[in-house]
């Protein structure tokens, strides 16, 4: 893509940044039409959790990879969407941290942009929808979950996004936690059979012999599948549906709990989000408990959107793995939204929106053409 820079060395350029909790992405584009010319990535960009010096380093690294040194003097506008840059006020600490780090990173690289803009990552994501909308609703359903009303490209109302301890209902974390809860309830007798007990146990390293399906070894008093068994028999044993409680002994269920609990507690709580795909897989296999978890998650997201008082036909820009083309909540939530006269408009991330916001900033800061 950088060959295009050589073909038109006089064209003004813009940079858009999507600075998230796990990585920072920078995109170099033409100011005139937004055509992408370069991309770069670096470490986390959360403006509240990453110290400003480290955030500056990550921004400088990502921008340097996207913008060749010979083109830096042509960058006229930069806009970044930052995780941790709350939408409440320009004086909010996350926004101030983001602006300080971005300004320092640009200075380090010798980029003297006329316009430097900072927004939340969700505001940038909303702007990524076709047409760069200014007003509507934004919904994020990934590790966490939050919905917002956007007016004039700024958030004016926020629902949920309260974190793993107090909220994020219907999120990947919420689904993962529900999977562990279902597994524990099957083990202690409060819940019915579910493939999640086996799947969760395997995911966190519970010994095979105490799993409800693992084996044949611990449950039947043998050392496992015989070497004389055919591969078809082995596959069937692996995919076997959960045994009834009577076939999963009390001794093994107690041992399962004693291994599962410390394994889960050893990780930060938010890591439970990694178990969400197990629920989606079990639901595809018609596991009733897993299906119920996803249905309840969709209900939570619907409640979150309803709290924004949506109007029929209003645009909802959605992002996050739970709502993508293959997302497990896309179909159930879309069906619920149809009853409200709403549809989802999914975008992958905020890079396109950050570029669009940079171009808008360029338009506002560009000198007026001389009158004739």
């Amino acid at each position: 893509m950088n060959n295009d820079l050589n073909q038109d060395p006089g064209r003004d350029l813009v940079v858009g940044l999507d600075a998230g909790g796990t990585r920072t992405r920078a995109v170099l584009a033409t100011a005139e039409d937004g055509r992408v010319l370069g991309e770069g990535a670096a470490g986390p960009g959360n403006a509240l959790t990453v110290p400003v010096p480290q955030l500056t380093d990550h921004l400088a690294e990502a921008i340097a990879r996207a913008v060749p040194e010979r083109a830096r003097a042509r960058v006229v506008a930069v806009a970044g969407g930052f995780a941790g840059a709350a939408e409440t006020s320009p004086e909010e600490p996350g926004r101030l941290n983001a602006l300080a780090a971005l300004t320092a990173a640009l200075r380090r690289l010798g980029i003297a942009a006329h316009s430097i803009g900072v927004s939340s990552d969700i505001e940038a994501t909303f702007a990524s929808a076709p047409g760069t909308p200014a007003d509507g609703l934004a919904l994020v359903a990934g590790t966490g979950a939050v919905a917002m009303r956007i007016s004039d490209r700024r958030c004016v109302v926020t629902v949920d996004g309260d974190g793993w301890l107090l909220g994020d209902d219907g999120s990947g974390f919420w689904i993962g936690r529900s999977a562990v809860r279902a597994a524990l309830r099957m083990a202690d007798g409060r819940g019915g059979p579910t493939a999640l007990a086996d799947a969760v146990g395997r995911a966190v390293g519970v010994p095979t012999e105490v799993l409800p399906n693992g084996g044949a070894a611990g449950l039947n008093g043998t050392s496992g599948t015989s070497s004389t068994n055919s591969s078809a028999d082995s596959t069937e044993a692996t995919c076997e549906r959960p045994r009834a409680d009577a076939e999963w002994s009390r001794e093994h269920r107690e041992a399962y709990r004693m291994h599962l609990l410390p394994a889960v507690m050893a990780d930060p709580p938010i890591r439970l989000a990694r178990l969400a795909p197990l629920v989606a897989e079990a639901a595809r296999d018609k596991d009733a408990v897993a299906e119920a978890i996803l249905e309840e998650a969709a209900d939570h997201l619907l409640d979150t959107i309803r709290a924004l008082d949506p109007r029929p036909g209003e645009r909802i820009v959605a992002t996050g793995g739970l709502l993508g083309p293959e997302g497990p909540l896309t179909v159930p939530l879309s069906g619920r939204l149809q009853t409200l006269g709403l549809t989802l408009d999914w975008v992958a991330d905020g890079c396109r929106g950050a570029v669009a916001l940079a171009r808008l900033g360029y338009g506002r800061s560009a000198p007026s053409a001389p009158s004739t």
Side-chain angles (χ1 to χ4, degrees):
M1 285 187 288
N2 284 333
N3 289 335
D4 293 339
L5 291 170
N6 299 325
Q7 295 173 7
D8 191 357
R11 179 170 293 183
D12 288 339
L13 306 173
V14 300
V15 173
L17 292 155
D18 181 24
T22 56
R23 67 170 178 164
T24 298
R25 292 181 61 202
V27 174
L28 175 68
T30 58
E32 179 182 359
D33 57 13
R35 181 163 49 91
V36 175
L37 302 176
E39 299 183 16
N46 188 300
L48 276 182
T49 62
V50 179
V52 171
Q54 186 178 354
L55 179 59
T56 301
D57 291 341
H58 293 169
L59 293 171
E61 181 181 352
I63 295 170
R65 290 176 174 176
V67 187
E69 188 171 356
R70 67 184 186 278
R72 292 174 189 172
R74 294 160 51 194
V75 175
V76 295
V78 179
F82 289 80
E87 304 72 24
T88 54
S89 165
E91 300 303 314
E92 187 275 329
R95 285 186 187 267
L96 294 177
N97 291 347
L99 182 59
L102 180 55
T103 301
L106 295 174
R107 185 184 306 117
R108 181 186 302 178
L109 297 175
I111 295 176
H114 304 304
S115 171
I116 301 175
V118 167
S119 64
S120 75
D121 54 341
I122 300 172
E123 290 165 341
T125 295
F126 183 80
S128 293
T132 316
D135 305 291
L137 307 178
L139 174 64
V140 178
T143 299
V146 62
M148 298 179 177
R149 177 169 291 284
I150 307 292
S151 179
D152 194 24
R153 301 192 173 91
R154 288 296 187 187
C155 170
V156 293
V157 181
T158 302
V159 178
D160 204 355
D162 297 327
W164 65 268
L165 181 61
L166 300 175
D168 285 353
D169 295 340
S171 66
F173 161 79
W174 184 94
I175 292 172
R177 183 185 62 180
S178 297
V180 176
R181 288 165 63 91
L184 290 170
R185 278 156 175 71
M186 178 181 172
D188 68 18
R190 290 178 293 163
T194 173
L196 294 174
D198 183 81
V200 168
R202 291 179 186 276
V204 303
V206 171
T208 300
E209 61 268 17
V210 301
L211 294 173
N213 283 337
L219 293 169
N220 298 331
T222 67
S223 59
T225 304
S226 168
S227 60
T228 60
N229 286 351
S230 67
S231 60
D233 290 339
S234 299
T235 301
E236 183 178 355
T238 301
C239 300
E240 185 179 356
R241 296 195 63 79
R243 288 177 168 83
D245 286 355
E247 296 172 312
W248 190 16
S249 73
R250 175 62 70 180
E251 176 187 0
H252 289 143
R253 284 188 277 156
E254 189 64 16
Y256 174 90
R257 285 174 46 80
M258 292 304 100
H259 283 95
L260 180 63
L261 286 167
V264 170
M265 300 294 184
D267 283 335
I270 200 67
R271 285 274 292 159
L272 289 175
R274 68 190 173 98
L275 303 177
L278 302 181
V279 181
E281 182 179 354
R284 285 193 294 270
D285 292 337
K286 305 303 180 184
D287 182 90
V289 173
E291 289 178 319
I293 289 173
L294 295 185
E295 291 293 325
E296 187 176 354
D299 286 338
H300 282 306
L301 294 182
L302 180 64
D303 288 342
T304 300
I305 294 172
R306 275 181 170 156
L308 292 171
D309 298 321
R311 298 179 291 273
E314 195 166 20
R315 192 170 201 171
I316 301 180
V317 178
T319 192
L322 297 177
L323 296 175
E326 304 298 326
L329 299 185
T330 303
V331 171
L333 181 60
S334 295
R336 287 161 169 78
L337 290 174
Q338 286 178 1
T339 65
L340 302 179
L342 303 170
T343 57
L344 290 177
D345 190 357
W346 187 80
V347 298
D349 56 40
C351 283
R352 179 185 296 179
V355 167
L357 294 175
R359 293 177 62 212
L360 288 169
Y362 164 72
R364 289 190 293 266
S365 64
S368 302
S371 58
T372 58

